[in-house]
Amino acid sequence: MKVLPRTADTGSGVPARRSDHPPPLLSACVALALGAAAVLTGMIAATAHPLLIALGAGAILSALLLLFPKLNMWLAIVLGLGSGTLLSLAGGVAGKMQWGIVLLSMILFVPVLLHALPRPRLPLFMWLYLVFVLLSLATTLLNWNGPAALVAGAKRYYQSLGIMLALALVPLTWKDTRRLRASLLGIGLLQLPFVLYEAIVLVPIRASMRSDQGSEVTDVIAGTFGANIRGGSPGAEMVGFVLILIAFAWARWRVGLLSTGKLMAFIALMLPCVTLGEVKFVVFLFPLVALVLYKEDIVARPGRFVPAMVLAGLVTAAFVYLYFGYFSRGAVGDGFDSMLRYNVAEQGYGQFLLNRSSALDFWWERQGSHDPAGFLLGHGLSSSYWTTDPNVPSGAIGARFPWYGIGLTAASALLWDVGVLGALLYLSVFLVAFRQAGRLYARTQDAETRCTLLGIQAALAVFVAFIPYKDSMLTIFPFQIVIALVLGFLAQILRNPDVLRAPRQP
């Protein structure tokens, strides 16, 4: 299909409907919320407790932000993706401030409901996700383990759901999409100085300490996603985010919206973020992303597909040498053998007794006719979660198997938490979203829309690859924001295909 170049006249010519003025019902809700927050703040001010007073002030700010859902959404996205490392390294009260960012996401439910009530038109994959939410909550209620388990599980799973629904249902304009792209580009570039600081300053500090989590010293390299000086950090999630940004940039270059020089400069800036953390999963992710970006050329233009895959293979070979040879200071084959031992053999991952594959075997061995409901529906949200932190409650099943790592990956955690039905439903969200993005890609000729949909498909492939790899899709807030961005924005495009088109110039 011929792709039309982007010009000022590629838009539909219909100005986007503005929604700057809040509806009367929302104004009434804000007034009530402000009154309640003011009374609450006045009461807790008498305690002279700084954290409680900050929460009260945050409640007033949150009530005001109900009037500005787009600003609220932007703050949740930027702070959620950009402040994780600063808050985690600060520790203490600052470490608890992420709850405030989660609150920004949760209060988006109010404007979302007001926008959804008149016209609840959502694509199929979003309905599947909402069914998954209801199923998981019902399973948690059926396996009641107290209100604390319900709140902790729902918060851990759905702390970015407000962002996803807001992106899907709050009407966006072309200017909003440009601001979103600029914000994500800025956050992506922000990873570089954080990664360099972590590699130069934090890695030597961590190397001088004995890690009690059985993780590598380079695990502290996680960009802005949250560096943990002692335990594991979401470095793989940061790398996944960077690869998604590279995929979007490459897709724009393919349709002529980005010059070769700018693409190469962006990749050069992002390359240290991919390599310094020694995330071996890149060896699988990079060719997967390349395959998605060039999948339509397999039959239509094999002369373009083959060179692209050869280039992807060479880059992947370079990653293999770096991760399994140079960084490990040994033979590449030995590095592969070590990886296989703690992924598909019997060796546990880190200090856990299980690894990524044996965690699935362990779940299967404990299924039977004695518990068909647990097999189909699971045991409730975060029931497989386990932690050594005495201030954080472990799940009911996780507490029965300490140090096993039964929820090591999203695949095993979903099977324990929501059963086979819930796990299949969760997977179907991403597969159906991939399919719906592909259908719109085949229909549209707008270059901006096509490259965005192609980048979204690459991101969805990364998410599916993470399901058997880590549990971060169910626990790590910054990575959940990335997922919410992709799914929510895809829903916005499917509901309004012209949202990416520049308005026609008069």
Side-chain angles (χ1 to χ4, degrees), residues 106-353:
M106 290 182 174
I107 63 176
L108 283 168
F109 284 118
V110 177
V112 161
L113 287 175
L114 294 176
H115 281 288
L117 289 177
R119 293 181 300 173
R121 184 170 59 90
L122 286 171
L124 176 60
F125 74 88
M126 288 295 292
W127 285 116
L128 290 174
Y129 192 85
L130 293 177
V131 171
F132 171 77
V133 172
L134 295 177
L135 175 65
S136 64
L137 292 176
T139 297
T140 306
L141 293 174
L142 290 173
N143 296 272
W144 183 252
N145 289 300
L150 173 63
V151 172
K155 182 261 179 186
R156 198 171 287 127
Y157 262 68
Y158 303 124
Q159 52 195 343
S160 66
L161 182 58
I163 297 173
M164 182 191 303
L165 294 177
L167 275 170
L169 290 168
V170 175
L172 300 181
T173 65
W174 173 70
K175 289 184 178 180
D176 293 329
T177 65
R178 287 176 61 88
R179 293 191 191 102
L180 179 61
R181 187 167 69 239
S183 299
L184 293 178
L185 175 62
I187 294 171
L189 294 174
L190 188 61
Q191 304 307 309
L192 179 60
F194 274 83
V195 165
L196 294 177
Y197 171 80
E198 290 155 357
I200 297 171
V201 178
L202 298 186
V203 167
I205 295 176
R206 183 181 171 101
S208 65
M209 304 164 59
R210 283 189 174 272
S211 172
D212 58 356
Q213 299 295 324
S215 46
E216 300 291 338
V217 294
T218 54
D219 282 357
V220 74
I221 300 177
T224 63
F225 276 45
N228 188 339
I229 196 66
R230 292 186 179 274
S233 301
E237 292 74 18
M238 181 272 294
V239 169
F241 172 64
V242 168
L243 284 178
I244 289 171
L245 292 181
I246 292 175
F248 273 95
W250 197 282
R252 293 182 66 81
W253 171 78
R254 286 203 63 192
V255 298
L257 296 179
L258 190 67
S259 67
T260 302
K262 290 181 178 179
L263 174 66
M264 292 297 105
F266 180 69
I267 292 177
L269 290 173
M270 293 295 97
L271 198 58
C273 303
V274 177
T275 58
L276 290 179
E278 301 183 29
V279 178
K280 299 178 178 65
F281 194 43
V282 172
V283 173
F284 176 76
L285 284 183
F286 184 82
L288 175 65
V289 168
L291 182 62
V292 173
L293 291 176
Y294 283 88
K295 64 184 185 306
E296 65 174 334
D297 295 331
I298 296 177
V299 176
R301 290 175 291 273
R304 181 183 297 178
F305 173 78
V306 173
M309 291 301 101
V310 170
L311 177 60
L314 293 175
V315 174
T316 302
F319 284 138
V320 169
Y321 171 73
L322 280 175
Y323 297 142
F324 297 102
Y326 181 77
F327 287 143
S328 62
R329 294 178 175 83
V332 174
D334 294 338
F336 264 109
D337 290 340
S338 175
M339 182 186 67
L340 292 176
R341 281 197 300 271
Y342 63 77
N343 277 291
V344 297
E346 297 301 321
Q347 179 180 329
Y349 185 85
Q351 292 191 344
F352 290 125
L353 297 174

Side-chain angles (χ1 to χ4, degrees), residues 398-466:
R400 286 169 49 189
F401 302 103
W403 294 108
Y404 273 71
I406 62 171
L408 182 62
T409 68
S412 60
L414 285 167
L415 289 171
W416 283 108
D417 296 350
V418 294
V420 172
L421 290 181
L424 291 176
L425 190 58
Y426 185 80
L427 176 62
S428 69
V429 171
F430 300 99
L431 299 181
V432 173
F434 190 94
R435 177 60 176 164
Q436 289 192 275
R439 286 181 175 177
L440 181 58
Y441 178 88
R443 292 198 308 266
T444 186
Q445 295 185 4
D446 178 62
E448 187 76 54
T449 303
R450 284 174 66 85
C451 71
T452 301
L453 291 171
L454 191 58
I456 285 175
Q457 286 191 309
L460 292 170
V462 170
F463 299 152
V464 171
F466 261 86

Side-chain angles (χ1 to χ4, degrees), residues 30-40:
V30 172
L32 291 174
L34 280 173
V39 172
L40 178 63

